[in-house]
């Protein structure tokens, strides 16, 4: 009887979660408050209730469940990000590559600097072991593609008469979207570095392996697999000789979900970065017939699935926070967490965006002035990807200070969700007003 009651309670919570997934995005559209803030708060409040053990997930005891839940949420989000981006990317064209200059600087400069500073703070302030400090830095460095939706591009543009005119006009949203799409994958080498440091005793044991395998080989394989899978699916969907295979004509949007699983699974099987493969696959799909409505259909399905998964993860996180996840949080952890959000990310991103030529559009107008650089640097949202990295690494190697890692990371995510969720709408409206005034 108790098991039946607990099962019924789970169904009740899932039903309420689905209702929130439907209602919240529309209810909060005119309010300077994001859905993740409300969901996290509801999770915290629910955790104070006498819930059955079946709906309480501990990051340590239920690590595998949390790992796969957040893993699936992130790859779904990465597909959505890749489909939503209107700015094309071709490595065979220097002009195309150059137009992603903002993204490259955030990835090549801001992210490594953030990882280094966060790892140093973890070691010096929190007293973490070197391997745990590296993992701490890697987990909290990437901008989260899941929770950053309020400051990202809205979706693929498909109503243009000329596909060559489809491009991003909001450099801030483009920078944050493209950064979130790529840096989740590019933080993985540093997660592997932390795992190698745990298992090895000397630099010689892990240094060469990390550089050539984790940093170079797995990145190249991930890009290659994503491009091949995306190209094959795009050719089949748009240009197959068999009408039954041309899903773009039938309007079957579940091809996007197939693309997620195929690209991720194939990359992981051949030891490449699956996160990177999913994003590249989505970008490759988007590159064919760029003005087709089919891209919007696929993006809509992915967006709804992402919304549901995000809701579940945030409710679980909120319940875990009420259930003792922050018990190992110290004043040092609070200090480090606030420094990461308010100082480390903004400063490193600001420095990265000041380096090199400023990105310009086709007529030479600067789209990343001081206001835009400040907003881009500030909105380094931390979230579900950080949970996945911790769950992934701690399940494969024996890291020390695991409770401290989880408590501090959960605190950083909670603060980021609230701070960035409350400020996203007014800041982006402020930028929009200034851009419209400049255009007039």
């Amino acid at each position: 009887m108790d098991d039946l009651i607990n099962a019924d309670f789970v169904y009740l919570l899932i039903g309420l979660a689905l209702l929130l997934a439907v209602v919240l995005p529309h209810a909060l559209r005119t309010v300077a408050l994001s859905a993740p803030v409300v969901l996290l708060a509801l999770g915290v409040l629910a955790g104070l209730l006498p819930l059955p053990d079946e709906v309480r997930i501990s990051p340590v005891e239920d690590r595998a469940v949390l790992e796969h839940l957040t893993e699936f949420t992130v790859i779904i989000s990465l597909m959505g990000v890749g489909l939503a981006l209107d700015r094309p990317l071709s490595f065979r064209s220097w002009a195309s590559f150059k137009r992603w200059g903002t993204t490259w600087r955030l990835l090549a400069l801001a992210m490594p600097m953030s990882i280094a500073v966060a790892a140093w703070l973890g070691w010096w302030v929190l007293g973490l072991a070197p391997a745990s400090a590296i993992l701490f830095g890697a987990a909290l460095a990437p901008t989260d593609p899941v929770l950053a939706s309020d400051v990202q591009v809205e979706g693929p543009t498909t109503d243009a008469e000329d596909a060559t005119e489809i491009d991003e006009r909001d450099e801030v949203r483009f920078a944050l979207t493209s950064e979130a799409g790529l840096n989740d994958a590019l933080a993985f080498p540093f997660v592997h570095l932390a795992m190698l440091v745990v298992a090895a005793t000397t630099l010689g044991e892990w240094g060469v392996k990390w550089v050539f395998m984790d940093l170079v080989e797995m990145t190249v394989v991930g890009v290659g697999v994503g491009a091949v899978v995306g190209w094959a699916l795009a050719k089949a969907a748009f240009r197959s000789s068999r009408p039954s295979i041309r899903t773009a004509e039938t309007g079957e949007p579940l091809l996007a979900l197939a693309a997620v699983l195929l690209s991720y699974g194939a990359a992981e099987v051949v030891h490449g970065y699956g996160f990177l493969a999913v994003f590249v696959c989505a970008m490759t799909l988007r590159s064919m017939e760029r003005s087709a409505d089919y891209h919007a259909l696929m993006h809509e399905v992915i967006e709804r699935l992402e919304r549901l998964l995000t809701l579940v993860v945030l409710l679980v996180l909120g319940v875990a926070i009420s259930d003792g996840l922050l018990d190992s949080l110290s004043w040092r952890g609070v200090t480090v967490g606030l420094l990461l959000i308010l100082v480390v990310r903004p400063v490193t991103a600001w420095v990265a965006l000041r380096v090199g030529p400023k990105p310009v559009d086709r007529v030479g107008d600067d789209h990343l002035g001081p206001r835009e650089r400040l907003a881009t640097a500030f909105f380094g949202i931390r979230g579900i990807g950080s949970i996945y990295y911790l769950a992934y690494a701690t399940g494969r190697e024996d890291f020390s200070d695991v409770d401290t890692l989880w408590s501090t990371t959960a605190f950083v995510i909670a603060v980021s969700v609230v701070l960035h969720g409350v400020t996203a709408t007014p800041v982006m409206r402020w930028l929009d007003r200034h851009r419209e005034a400049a255009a007039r």
Side-chain angles (χ1 to χ4, degrees):
M1 180 62 72
D2 289 340
D3 292 339
L4 180 60
I5 294 174
N6 289 342
D8 292 340
F9 198 90
V10 172
Y11 284 126
L12 174 61
L13 287 181
I14 293 175
L16 290 173
L18 285 170
L19 178 62
L20 290 173
V22 173
V23 172
L24 278 180
H26 301 283
L28 299 176
R29 183 167 294 176
T30 59
V31 182
L33 190 67
S34 68
V37 177
V38 177
L39 295 172
L40 184 64
L42 289 175
V44 172
L45 293 175
L48 300 175
L49 301 175
L51 299 177
D53 293 338
E54 283 77 2
V55 297
R56 295 183 183 274
I57 297 181
S58 167
V60 177
E61 298 177 2
D62 304 296
R63 183 207 58 79
V65 175
L66 197 60
E67 176 188 339
H68 294 303
L69 175 61
T70 53
E71 177 184 35
F72 189 56
T73 305
V74 171
I75 61 176
I76 288 295
S77 178
L78 290 174
M79 176 58 65
V81 167
L83 289 174
L85 285 169
D86 285 333
R87 181 169 299 176
L89 174 62
S90 173
F91 288 100
R92 294 176 294 180
S93 169
W94 172 246
S96 174
F97 186 84
K98 187 178 179 181
R99 287 184 54 73
W100 282 59
T102 302
T103 309
W104 307 139
R105 290 197 290 275
L106 289 172
L107 294 173
L109 298 175
M111 191 176 73
M113 287 191 292
S114 294
I115 292 174
V117 175
W120 178 76
L121 288 172
W123 171 73
W124 186 62
V125 179
L126 294 180
L128 300 175
S132 297
I134 296 172
L135 176 60
F136 179 72
L140 287 173
T143 297
D144 194 77
V146 183
L147 300 182
S149 58
D150 288 337
V151 293
Q152 290 181 353
V153 299
E154 293 185 355
T157 301
T158 59
D159 57 356
E161 295 182 2
D162 185 359
T164 61
E165 296 300 320
I166 297 177
D167 201 345
E168 302 293 348
R169 295 300 177 183
D170 188 329
E171 195 68 27
V172 174
R173 287 186 170 91
F174 166 74
L176 292 169
T177 305
S178 56
E179 179 198 11
L182 284 166
N183 68 4
D184 254 307
L186 298 181
F188 234 126
F190 298 94
V191 175
H192 283 171
L193 174 61
M195 295 166 61
L196 287 172
V197 172
V198 170
T201 56
T202 64
L203 175 63
E205 289 186 49
W206 56 262
V208 174
K209 178 181 183 298
W210 180 73
V211 172
F212 288 99
M213 181 175 291
D214 297 290
L215 194 60
V216 178
E217 179 184 331
M218 294 182 71
T219 300
V220 173
V221 170
V223 172
V225 169
V228 170
V229 173
W231 177 84
L233 292 176
K235 290 286 286 186
F238 290 100
R239 300 174 185 175
S240 173
S241 59
R242 293 176 177 269
S244 60
I245 299 179
R246 292 198 296 269
T247 54
E249 294 181 2
T250 62
E252 176 51 71
L254 289 180
L255 178 70
L257 184 56
V260 171
L261 300 177
L262 283 172
S263 57
Y264 186 76
E268 292 294 320
V269 166
V270 297
H271 304 293
Y273 287 127
F275 284 0
L276 188 58
V278 171
F279 180 75
V280 173
C281 176
M283 289 289 296
T284 307
L285 267 173
R286 181 76 174 91
S287 68
M288 191 171 293
E289 306 294 340
R290 298 181 61 239
S291 60
D293 292 336
Y294 189 47
H295 296 299
L297 291 175
M298 290 191 292
H299 180 264
E300 183 178 358
V301 168
I302 292 296
E303 185 180 35
R304 291 189 177 187
L305 181 56
E306 176 194 344
R307 188 190 307 166
L308 175 60
L309 292 169
T310 303
L311 183 148
V312 173
V313 174
L314 287 175
L315 287 177
V316 168
L317 177 62
V319 171
I321 288 175
S322 295
D323 207 29
L325 183 57
L326 300 182
D327 285 352
S328 298
L329 182 66
S330 63
W331 68 267
R332 294 177 183 271
V334 171
T335 302
V336 170
L338 294 177
L339 284 174
L340 291 177
I341 295 173
L342 301 176
V343 179
V344 176
R345 158 65 190 199
V347 171
T348 55
W350 176 268
V351 170
L353 294 173
R354 293 287 295 176
V355 174
K358 300 175 182 178
V360 296
D361 71 5
R362 295 174 186 176
V363 295
D365 295 328
D366 182 11
H367 275 259
L368 207 65
R371 295 187 189 91
E372 289 77 14
R373 282 196 296 271
L374 181 61
T376 304
F378 175 71
F379 284 112
I381 301 174
R382 273 54 183 153
I384 293 174
S386 300
I387 301 174
Y388 170 72
Y389 284 133
L390 280 187
Y392 173 88
T394 56
R396 286 160 178 78
E397 297 293 344
D398 187 17
F399 285 86
S400 61
D401 308 304
V402 172
D403 290 339
T404 301
L405 285 172
W406 276 113
S407 291
T408 308
T409 300
F411 171 76
V412 171
I413 294 172
V415 173
S416 178
V417 167
V418 175
L419 177 63
H420 295 128
V422 170
T423 57
T425 298
V427 169
M428 300 311 289
R429 286 177 180 171
W430 174 66
L431 291 176
D432 290 340
R433 286 196 300 270
H434 279 283
R435 185 166 53 251
E436 292 169 1
R440 288 196 298 268

